[in-house]
Structures are given as structure tokens and as C-alpha cells.
Amino acid sequence: MIVEMKTGASRPEVDAVVEKAKSLGLDVQLNLGTDKTVVALLGSNTGQLPTDIFEVLPGVESVTRIMKPYKLASRTFKKADSVVDAGGVKIGGQRIVVMAGPCAVESEAQLMEVAEKVKAAGALILRGGAYKPRSSPFSFQGMKMAGVELLQNARERFGLPVITEVVDTADVSPIAKYADILQIGSRNMQNFSLLTKIGKTGRPVVLKRGFSCTVTEWLTAADYLLAEGNEQVILCERGIRTFEDSARFSLDISSIPVIKKFSHLPIIVDPSHAAGHFSLVPAMARAAIAAGADGLLIEVHPNPKVALVDGAQSLTPSDFARLVEELKPVAKAVGRFI
Ligand code: PEP
Ligand code: MN
């Protein structure tokens, strides 16, 4: 249930709503907008509560039930677009943020080379997997903490904020010390204990869409992060599983305007994992920007042929640089810039 306060409602009036909600056993989240305060009343029994309990309180303008299963991620709770600040880079504003780097951190030389080249090409954030969620237990599982430390070195050397995936609740705190953005992978979108733990860190987080999950399930998962008071949530469309097998996954371009309609959260797109092949990445990246994405997450490897993970979908640094140039007029056409 959403209680919208009148413009200029006083703090004691807001507090009275909060107190009333708490006395009914509800959880409360405040959105102190510039213009109006919105109070989200959360709990499994809000559906049974009559709205007039709150409508009669002084300073209350309206009380609305949120009919969707997700609450804090919804535009009903927060009308203005959220902008996330990751190490000084703003995601969700007018600038389209390109994040790029290898699927997996493999060595210091590999990471430094790619960091230098993606930065020169226009990437604002360095990606690199240190803990890899592999489909097979016999595949390379990542350099783990040594990989996170290399990311930290690259961050210092090139001044690029870094994003890396967390696959286990036990690793949240050590990784959160180093990474500017914690990535929750597609396979973990509904790992609720991981979401809760990452939510508690307050660190910026990219929540990738589960490849068999609906937009509604994705936004409801985002509520687990937001419910911990972490407002720094970025969504990432990375393709879903359909009957179509000509690309690795089917990039759901429609999820971009759908998310923009129903949620205030920024959304980026990962064309690399959706495509599965480098040749498809540029067209999908252009389409994502044209459809309104706030950023891109792209795999780049200095020598994709010898990559330990996802070489087939990785761009070379020169292909990546060419792509960024191609994206600039697309961004301009939709009133954005890179
Ligand atoms: C990744 O970005 O490294 C990754 C494993 O992606 P996804 O979770 O989308 O498969
Ligand atoms: Mn990958």
C-alpha cells in the first residue's frame, strides 16, 4: 500500500503515518521525494487492511494499493527515475554508461591490457569475473579473491570503477570491500539469501535477469535488495531462454520499455551473453540503446581465441572501440550521449 503525502506535509504528519503502520505490524519504507513524501506500507496482510485507516490521517493525500507483486521497485512508489552512483559514475542519467572487460579475470597482463584499451575506447566501468558461475564443475571457476585483487589494482591504475560477480553469501563482505558494483548473475537472480546479504551492504548492485524469469519476477527479486534499504539497484537484461536457438539466448528488447514503464530503476543490457557470438553483439548493442537502455555490459578480451571463458562472444579491443563509435549516433538519436 502506498500513502502519498500532500505537498508540504509536515514531518510529524509523516511520522504519524509511520507509527500507525508500525502499530499494525507493517514494515515501512519512505521515499522522501523533492516534492512529496511517499510512504510504502509493506507486509503480507496489507491486502486485508482498509485504506481509510490511513486516508483519515492529517497530511495524507491518497492511499493506493500496489496491485503488482513488486512494491519498492515500482513506479507507483517512486515516480522519478533512480540514478545510481558507482564510484562516481552515474547510471540512469542522460549519459549511457558502457561497462566492458573480460568475462573472467585470467591474469594480471590480460586484465591490465584490456582495462587500458576499453578505457581508451570510452568504457567508464571495468567488468571482470573472479568467481564464475559455470554450468560444469569441471570448467574454469575463476581466480576468486586473487582476481578481485587484480581488479582492485586495475581500478587504481586506470581510475575505472569495477564490477564483479558474487556467487556465494560467504564472499559478499570481502568482495564488497573492493568492488564498486556487485553483480548478481542470471543463475542467482532468485537466490534470496544472496540478495538480502548484498542488499545489506548498500553497495551498488547489478541484478541480472534470470534467463527463465519474467519481468515481474525480476522486479520482485529487486525488492529483496530495496527492502534492505539499498537503493543502488541497476537491472541488467541479458537474454532469456526461448525455443529459438540461433543465438545463445533471446535478447528481450521489449523488457527495456516495459521496465521503464513499471519501474524507476535503471536498466542496462548485456548483449554478449544474449548473443553468444561476437558477430551479433554490435547490432544488439545498438538496438538496446535505441530502445532506451541506460548502459551496456560488454565482454572484451585481448585475444578471444585463447579466452578461458566465453571467447566466442568476446570482442577484440579494436572491435569494441569501433562499436563505441557506432553507438554514439544511436545515443544521440534518442537524446542521450556516450
Ligand atoms: C557474466 O556476466 O559473467 C555472466 C556469467 O552472465 P550471466 O549471469 O548473465 O550468465
Ligand atoms: Mn561471460
Side-chain angles (χ1 to χ4, degrees):
M1 211 184 260
I2 293 291
V3 177
E4 201 173 316
M5 303 301 294
K6 288 184 179 144
T7 307
S10 67
R11 189 66 214 208
E13 287 171 337
V14 176
D15 290 345
V17 172
V18 172
E19 285 313 309
K20 182 82 205 164
K22 289 198 170 153
S23 74
L24 293 163
L26 303 175
D27 278 334
V28 171
Q29 289 260 354
L30 291 183
N31 170 22
L32 304 166
T34 43
D35 184 27
K36 282 179 179 177
T37 296
V38 177
V39 190
L41 310 181
L42 306 158
S44 52
N45 61 341
T46 49
Q48 282 86 59
L49 288 176
T51 52
D52 56 10
I53 304 181
F54 294 97
E55 276 158 357
V56 297
L57 295 177
V60 170
E61 180 156 290
S62 63
V63 182
T64 320
R65 288 187 197 285
I66 305 185
M67 302 315 282
K68 306 272 188 200
Y70 51 88
K71 315 289 177 196
L72 301 174
S74 83
R75 276 235 190 250
T76 320
F77 174 56
K78 185 166 182 264
K79 295 208 167 39
D81 289 340
S82 287
V83 177
V84 172
D85 187 325
V89 175
K90 297 212 167 19
I91 300 134
Q94 216 197 340
R95 183 174 205 168
I96 286 165
V97 174
V98 180
M99 310 182 187
C103 179
V105 178
E106 296 171 7
S107 67
E108 181 167 15
Q110 173 242 24
L111 187 64
M112 298 304 155
E113 180 177 350
V114 83
E116 183 176 11
K117 290 183 172 163
V118 298
K119 183 179 178 176
L124 297 179
I125 293 182
L126 176 66
R127 69 148 283 151
Y131 291 80
K132 296 302 303 173
R134 306 306 305 282
S135 300
S136 164
F138 309 117
S139 302
F140 175 58
Q141 303 288 315
M143 289 181 74
K144 310 210 161 125
M145 218 47 211
V148 177
E149 280 159 22
L150 288 178
L151 283 166
Q152 165 69 3
N153 296 347
R155 178 183 192 280
E156 274 168 19
R157 187 153 150 201
F158 299 103
L160 283 175
V162 299
I163 171 169
T164 197
E165 180 166 353
V166 186
V167 296
D168 194 307
T169 49
D171 305 321
V172 171
S173 306
I175 298 177
K177 278 200 200 95
Y178 295 109
D180 299 276
I181 307 179
L182 304 174
Q183 178 175 320
I184 298 172
S186 187
R187 290 155 190 82
N188 273 317
M189 188 202 87
Q190 288 184 311
N191 180 341
F192 301 122
S193 47
L194 185 64
L195 297 179
T196 301
K197 187 108 194 255
I198 289 180
K200 285 189 202 302
T201 66
R203 305 289 290 165
V205 42
V206 160
L207 179 63
K208 289 191 131 193
R209 179 178 182 179
F211 51 70
S212 299
C213 292
T214 63
V215 167
T216 298
E217 287 163 338
W218 187 15
L219 289 172
T220 311
D223 264 3
Y224 271 88
L225 296 160
L226 298 162
E228 297 302 325
N230 188 346
E231 295 177 357
Q232 305 264 80
V233 179
I234 304 154
L235 302 168
C236 178
E237 168 63 53
R238 48 79 71 214
I240 52 174
R241 183 135 293 163
T242 68
F243 57 82
E244 181 53 62
D245 63 1
S246 56
R248 190 175 176 190
F249 292 91
S250 297
L251 183 65
D252 182 10
I253 284 286
S254 64
S255 77
I256 304 163
V258 169
I259 290 287
K260 290 283 171 200
K261 180 172 175 188
F262 292 112
S263 178
H264 54 89
L265 296 174
I267 175 169
I268 65 169
V269 168
D270 172 353
S272 305
H273 287 88
H277 196 265
F278 72 93
S279 60
L280 305 175
V281 169
M284 292 158 84
R286 290 193 298 265
I289 293 190
D294 297 300
L296 294 166
L297 182 66
I298 297 178
E299 287 188 339
V300 181
H301 193 284
N303 186 358
K305 287 195 176 62
V306 299
L308 296 180
V309 193
D310 284 348
Q313 68 199 32
S314 299
L315 300 185
T316 61
S318 57
D319 282 349
F320 173 71
R322 196 170 316 115
L323 171 59
V324 175
E325 289 312 308
E326 279 172 29
L327 295 173
K328 287 180 180 170
V330 183
K332 194 163 177 227
V334 292
R336 315 281 292 265
F337 71 100
I338 291 187

PDB file of all heavy atoms in Angstrom, residues 103-104 127 132 248 273 299 309-310 313, ligand 2:
ATOM      1  N   CYS A 103      35.199 -11.657 -19.662  1.00  0.00           N
ATOM      2  CA  CYS A 103      34.255 -12.497 -18.924  1.00  0.00           C
ATOM      3  C   CYS A 103      34.901 -12.863 -17.594  1.00  0.00           C
ATOM      4  O   CYS A 103      34.340 -12.638 -16.542  1.00  0.00           O
ATOM      5  CB  CYS A 103      33.928 -13.756 -19.738  1.00  0.00           C
ATOM      6  SG  CYS A 103      32.798 -14.832 -18.863  1.00  0.00           S
ATOM      7  N   ALA A 104      36.132 -13.421 -17.685  1.00  0.00           N
ATOM      8  CA  ALA A 104      36.848 -13.822 -16.470  1.00  0.00           C
ATOM      9  C   ALA A 104      38.206 -13.137 -16.409  1.00  0.00           C
ATOM     10  O   ALA A 104      38.886 -12.993 -17.427  1.00  0.00           O
ATOM     11  CB  ALA A 104      37.052 -15.331 -16.461  1.00  0.00           C
ATOM     12  N   ARG A 127      34.564  -4.455 -16.271  1.00  0.00           N
ATOM     13  CA  ARG A 127      33.972  -5.696 -15.772  1.00  0.00           C
ATOM     14  C   ARG A 127      35.033  -6.787 -15.739  1.00  0.00           C
ATOM     15  O   ARG A 127      36.006  -6.742 -16.504  1.00  0.00           O
ATOM     16  CB  ARG A 127      32.763  -6.166 -16.590  1.00  0.00           C
ATOM     17  CG  ARG A 127      33.026  -6.653 -17.989  1.00  0.00           C
ATOM     18  CD  ARG A 127      32.021  -7.764 -18.417  1.00  0.00           C
ATOM     19  NE  ARG A 127      32.354  -9.039 -17.818  1.00  0.00           N
ATOM     20  CZ  ARG A 127      31.486  -9.992 -17.532  1.00  0.00           C
ATOM     21  NH1 ARG A 127      30.203  -9.833 -17.793  1.00  0.00           N
ATOM     22  NH2 ARG A 127      31.890 -11.138 -16.998  1.00  0.00           N
ATOM     23  N   LYS A 132      33.292 -17.403 -10.995  1.00  0.00           N
ATOM     24  CA  LYS A 132      32.491 -17.685 -12.180  1.00  0.00           C
ATOM     25  C   LYS A 132      31.449 -18.766 -11.911  1.00  0.00           C
ATOM     26  O   LYS A 132      31.794 -19.864 -11.463  1.00  0.00           O
ATOM     27  CB  LYS A 132      33.404 -18.168 -13.333  1.00  0.00           C
ATOM     28  CG  LYS A 132      34.409 -17.151 -13.829  1.00  0.00           C
ATOM     29  CD  LYS A 132      33.775 -15.858 -14.318  1.00  0.00           C
ATOM     30  CE  LYS A 132      32.750 -16.028 -15.409  1.00  0.00           C
ATOM     31  NZ  LYS A 132      32.057 -14.734 -15.701  1.00  0.00           N
ATOM     32  N   ARG A 248      22.598 -17.506 -28.453  1.00  0.00           N
ATOM     33  CA  ARG A 248      22.718 -18.267 -27.201  1.00  0.00           C
ATOM     34  C   ARG A 248      21.442 -18.130 -26.349  1.00  0.00           C
ATOM     35  O   ARG A 248      20.960 -19.080 -25.764  1.00  0.00           O
ATOM     36  CB  ARG A 248      23.943 -17.755 -26.440  1.00  0.00           C
ATOM     37  CG  ARG A 248      24.329 -18.589 -25.245  1.00  0.00           C
ATOM     38  CD  ARG A 248      25.637 -18.065 -24.626  1.00  0.00           C
ATOM     39  NE  ARG A 248      25.982 -18.787 -23.422  1.00  0.00           N
ATOM     40  CZ  ARG A 248      26.945 -18.420 -22.582  1.00  0.00           C
ATOM     41  NH1 ARG A 248      27.671 -17.345 -22.840  1.00  0.00           N
ATOM     42  NH2 ARG A 248      27.213 -19.113 -21.498  1.00  0.00           N
ATOM     43  N   HIS A 273      26.229 -11.989 -23.495  1.00  0.00           N
ATOM     44  CA  HIS A 273      25.686 -13.289 -23.072  1.00  0.00           C
ATOM     45  C   HIS A 273      24.434 -13.650 -23.837  1.00  0.00           C
ATOM     46  O   HIS A 273      24.141 -14.829 -24.043  1.00  0.00           O
ATOM     47  CB  HIS A 273      25.464 -13.311 -21.552  1.00  0.00           C
ATOM     48  CG  HIS A 273      26.757 -13.390 -20.804  1.00  0.00           C
ATOM     49  ND1 HIS A 273      27.456 -12.260 -20.444  1.00  0.00           N
ATOM     50  CD2 HIS A 273      27.515 -14.446 -20.422  1.00  0.00           C
ATOM     51  CE1 HIS A 273      28.587 -12.633 -19.848  1.00  0.00           C
ATOM     52  NE2 HIS A 273      28.642 -13.951 -19.825  1.00  0.00           N
ATOM     53  N   GLU A 299      31.503  -7.962 -23.136  1.00  0.00           N
ATOM     54  CA  GLU A 299      32.730  -8.743 -22.906  1.00  0.00           C
ATOM     55  C   GLU A 299      33.780  -8.431 -23.969  1.00  0.00           C
ATOM     56  O   GLU A 299      33.507  -8.495 -25.170  1.00  0.00           O
ATOM     57  CB  GLU A 299      32.399 -10.236 -22.874  1.00  0.00           C
ATOM     58  CG  GLU A 299      31.668 -10.579 -21.588  1.00  0.00           C
ATOM     59  CD  GLU A 299      31.446 -12.058 -21.362  1.00  0.00           C
ATOM     60  OE1 GLU A 299      31.482 -12.843 -22.331  1.00  0.00           O
ATOM     61  OE2 GLU A 299      31.218 -12.430 -20.200  1.00  0.00           O
ATOM     62  N   VAL A 309      37.070 -18.342 -20.829  1.00  0.00           N
ATOM     63  CA  VAL A 309      35.605 -18.368 -20.733  1.00  0.00           C
ATOM     64  C   VAL A 309      35.013 -17.431 -21.790  1.00  0.00           C
ATOM     65  O   VAL A 309      35.474 -16.288 -21.934  1.00  0.00           O
ATOM     66  CB  VAL A 309      35.104 -17.902 -19.336  1.00  0.00           C
ATOM     67  CG1 VAL A 309      33.628 -18.246 -19.155  1.00  0.00           C
ATOM     68  CG2 VAL A 309      35.913 -18.486 -18.199  1.00  0.00           C
ATOM     69  N   ASP A 310      34.012 -17.891 -22.483  1.00  0.00           N
ATOM     70  CA  ASP A 310      33.198 -17.039 -23.368  1.00  0.00           C
ATOM     71  C   ASP A 310      33.982 -16.301 -24.458  1.00  0.00           C
ATOM     72  O   ASP A 310      33.614 -15.176 -24.835  1.00  0.00           O
ATOM     73  CB  ASP A 310      32.386 -16.025 -22.535  1.00  0.00           C
ATOM     74  CG  ASP A 310      31.191 -16.683 -21.846  1.00  0.00           C
ATOM     75  OD1 ASP A 310      30.857 -17.842 -22.191  1.00  0.00           O
ATOM     76  OD2 ASP A 310      30.586 -16.041 -20.972  1.00  0.00           O
ATOM     77  N   GLN A 313      32.000 -15.053 -27.716  1.00  0.00           N
ATOM     78  CA  GLN A 313      31.150 -13.851 -27.680  1.00  0.00           C
ATOM     79  C   GLN A 313      31.939 -12.593 -27.323  1.00  0.00           C
ATOM     80  O   GLN A 313      31.365 -11.503 -27.238  1.00  0.00           O
ATOM     81  CB  GLN A 313      30.003 -14.050 -26.695  1.00  0.00           C
ATOM     82  CG  GLN A 313      30.428 -14.118 -25.241  1.00  0.00           C
ATOM     83  CD  GLN A 313      29.374 -14.753 -24.360  1.00  0.00           C
ATOM     84  OE1 GLN A 313      28.635 -15.630 -24.773  1.00  0.00           O
ATOM     85  NE2 GLN A 313      29.276 -14.308 -23.125  1.00  0.00           N
TER      86      GLN A 313
HETATM   87 MN    MN B   2      30.750 -14.476 -19.775  1.00  0.00          MN
END
